[in-house]
């Protein structure tokens, strides 16, 4: 018996089509402890959403999935099959980037918040489910929740809609809450409010969380540990403060250089760097280190695949260079 809610080892996902095979995830390991919050960070196209969608059984039909080992809540899982799809909506809930993906414009918020609970609480009356929905809606900061229950999604602002979607996820009392870029579609002020809701949630709920984001700042605010992905592989992982304060992998360092320092007071004159080059084509992945083509510290050895190194405090990174931390 392990103390992890979710354990995945060596998750591979490829897409086949137009006579080519694109390898999107290459041996991804992910472990989320009970009640813990894990951040998945990396550039656009690194495969973050693919990990989240694989957990939910939501990958496209042309996806080929294999996994070395997968377990959820102490039970072995067969990924990619009907077994995974069955987790969706009861044990795992997801908050998407665009709240309109989750909301139906034809029905009132109240009706949708009641319907989402039916599978989880099939014996409860509509009246009881309505009361529960209204309480959770108020809890995530929607004022005048009783009246708002009778309104339609288009009558809500973007930030309010995202609160409704967070309420929707909470109402099914999931063991794991996935949030895929939960604030990317929002402007800065509203983003701060939604981060605040998620932070309160993190303190109060017993659910584990997987927060997917390209923003290191968001991960620093919301997570206990972080998994850094590059081109479908995990290049570094560990407790969030340790990894962000003293990154071991050159990619993590480059990613942090592109961000406003999450631990410094905001300085509008701070220059933001970019990482030169681009992510390799998933249909033509290089043989050796996946980051070598863009790495400022590459050397001859990088034409071979680097080992995964384990450091104190549960940290890992994959690089030929040894760090002294
Ligand atoms: N059905 C599909 N067929 C082929 N390739 C796909 C398919 N779906 C996604 N991909 C590819 O998978 C790769 C990873 O995509 P994914 O959406 O997981 O990245 P991401 O890290 O979530 O990026 P973003 O930050 O932009 O959301 C991309 O190169 C994308 O083009
Ligand atoms: Mg994504």
């Amino acid at each position: 018996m392990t103390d992890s809610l979710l354990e995945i080892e060596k998750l591979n996902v490829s897409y086949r089509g137009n006579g080519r095979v694109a390898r999107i995830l290459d041996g991804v390991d992910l472990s989320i402890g009970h009640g813990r919050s894990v951040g998945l960070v990396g550039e656009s196209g690194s495969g973050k959403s693919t990990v989240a969608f694989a957990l939910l059984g939501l990958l496209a039909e042309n996806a080929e999935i294999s996994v070395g080992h997968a377990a959820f809540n102490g039970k072995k899982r067969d990924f990619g099959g009907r077994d995974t799809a069955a987790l969706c909506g009861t044990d795992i809930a997801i908050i998407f980037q665009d709240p309109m993906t989750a909301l139906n414009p034809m029905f009132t918020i109240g009706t949708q918040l009641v319907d989402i609970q039916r599978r989880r609480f099939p014996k409860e009356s509509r009246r009881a489910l309505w009361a529960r929905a209204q309480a959770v809606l108020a809890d995530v900061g929607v004022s005048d929740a009783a009246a708002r229950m009778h309104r339609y999604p288009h009558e809500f602002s973007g930030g309010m809609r995202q609160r409704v979607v967070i309420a929707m996820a909470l109402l099914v009392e999931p063991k794991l809450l996935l949030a895929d870029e939960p604030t990317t579609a929002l402007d800065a002020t509203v983003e701060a409010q939604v981060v605040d809701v998620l932070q309160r949630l993190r303190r109060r709920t017993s659910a584990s969380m997987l927060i997917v984001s390209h923003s290191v700042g968001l991960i620093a605010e919301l997570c206990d540990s972080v998994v850094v992905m590059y081109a479908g592989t995990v290049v570094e992982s560990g407790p969030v403060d340790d990894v962000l304060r003293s990154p071991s992998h050159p990619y993590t360092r480059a990613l942090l250089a592109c961000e406003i320092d999450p631990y410094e007071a905001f300085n509008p004159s701070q220059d933001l760097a970019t990482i030169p080059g681009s992510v390799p084509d998933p249909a033509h992945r290089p043989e050796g280190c996946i980051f070598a083509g863009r790495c400022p510290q590459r050397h001859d050895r990088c034409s071979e695949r680097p080992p995964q190194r384990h450091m104190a405090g549960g940290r890992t990174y994959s690089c030929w260079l040894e760090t002294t931390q």
Side-chain angles (χ1 to χ4, degrees):
M1 183 72 192
T2 108
D3 60 356
S4 289
L5 173 68
L6 176 76
E7 253 176 40
I8 294 178
E9 284 168 22
K10 305 267 168 284
L11 174 63
N12 300 312
V13 171
S14 300
Y15 286 108
R16 198 176 280 277
N18 298 330
R20 49 177 247 159
V21 179
R23 186 142 202 200
I24 305 300
L25 298 184
D26 184 8
V28 169
D29 295 341
L30 178 68
S31 164
I32 307 178
H34 287 279
R36 308 300 282 174
S37 168
V38 175
L40 201 53
V41 74
E43 276 168 289
S44 184
S46 55
K48 306 180 297 295
S49 297
T50 305
V51 172
F53 288 4
L55 294 179
L56 291 164
L58 290 179
L59 292 177
E61 294 249 312
N62 62 333
E64 288 174 8
I65 309 172
S66 74
V67 68
H69 165 77
F72 188 82
N73 208 21
K75 277 202 206 115
K76 204 168 171 302
R77 289 287 173 175
D78 168 23
F79 258 80
R82 279 187 298 141
D83 195 21
T84 322
L87 291 173
C88 178
T90 51
D91 282 337
I92 305 184
I94 185 160
I95 301 168
F96 288 106
Q97 172 175 339
D98 176 3
M100 284 314 269
T101 321
L103 296 171
N104 187 329
M106 305 296 286
F107 295 100
T108 63
I109 295 297
T111 300
Q112 296 184 60
L113 291 180
V114 165
D115 286 348
I116 194 87
Q117 303 175 70
R118 289 206 190 279
R119 205 169 127 201
R120 189 82 172 86
F121 305 106
K123 295 198 176 122
E124 291 282 356
S125 68
R126 180 177 169 83
R127 181 187 285 266
L129 296 179
W130 187 279
R132 225 179 136 249
Q134 191 176 311
V136 173
L137 199 58
D139 211 29
V140 296
V142 172
S143 57
D144 202 7
R148 299 282 190 113
M149 290 281 282
H150 297 281
R151 305 250 170 247
Y152 290 84
H154 73 268
E155 297 177 90
F156 285 64
S157 68
M160 282 297 158
R161 282 202 282 258
Q162 197 57 309
R163 286 169 199 256
V164 172
V165 172
I166 293 171
M168 223 170 195
L170 291 178
L171 280 166
V172 299
E173 294 184 354
K175 291 194 173 64
L176 176 62
L177 188 62
L178 298 182
D180 190 0
E181 304 280 3
T183 63
T184 308
L186 307 172
D187 68 48
T189 321
V190 179
E191 170 171 3
Q193 292 166 3
V194 171
V195 169
D196 194 54
V197 171
L198 289 169
Q199 245 167 353
R200 277 196 295 127
L201 190 75
R202 182 188 162 199
R203 284 193 288 270
R204 286 225 321 266
T205 176
S206 59
S208 305
M209 290 166 87
L210 179 66
I211 313 274
V212 174
S213 180
H214 62 268
S215 162
V216 179
L218 185 79
I219 300 288
E221 284 196 71
L222 292 175
C223 300
D224 303 301
S225 58
V226 62
V227 173
V228 183
M229 281 186 67
Y230 180 75
T233 63
V234 173
V235 293
E236 178 158 9
S237 67
V240 77
D241 288 347
D242 299 348
V243 171
L244 300 187
R245 281 181 202 277
S246 58
S248 294
H249 197 283
Y251 176 66
T252 315
R253 282 198 284 275
L255 198 63
L256 282 169
C258 300
E259 279 268 332
I260 292 167
D261 186 342
Y263 295 101
E264 288 283 325
F266 177 64
N267 171 6
S269 65
Q270 196 177 330
D271 279 340
L272 295 185
T274 53
I275 306 175
S278 52
V279 181
D281 178 351
H284 301 99
R285 294 170 67 84
E287 288 283 309
C289 171
I290 191 76
F291 188 55
R294 299 170 80 186
C295 183
Q297 289 166 283
R298 77 174 157 270
H299 52 100
D300 293 348
R301 197 81 201 261
C302 305
S303 57
E304 288 169 52
R305 202 176 172 125
Q308 188 183 56
R309 300 183 186 276
H310 293 265
M311 298 163 74
R315 293 184 63 172
T316 71
Y317 72 102
S318 297
C319 182
W320 284 111
L321 295 174
E322 264 184 85
T323 63
T324 47
Q325 285 125 25

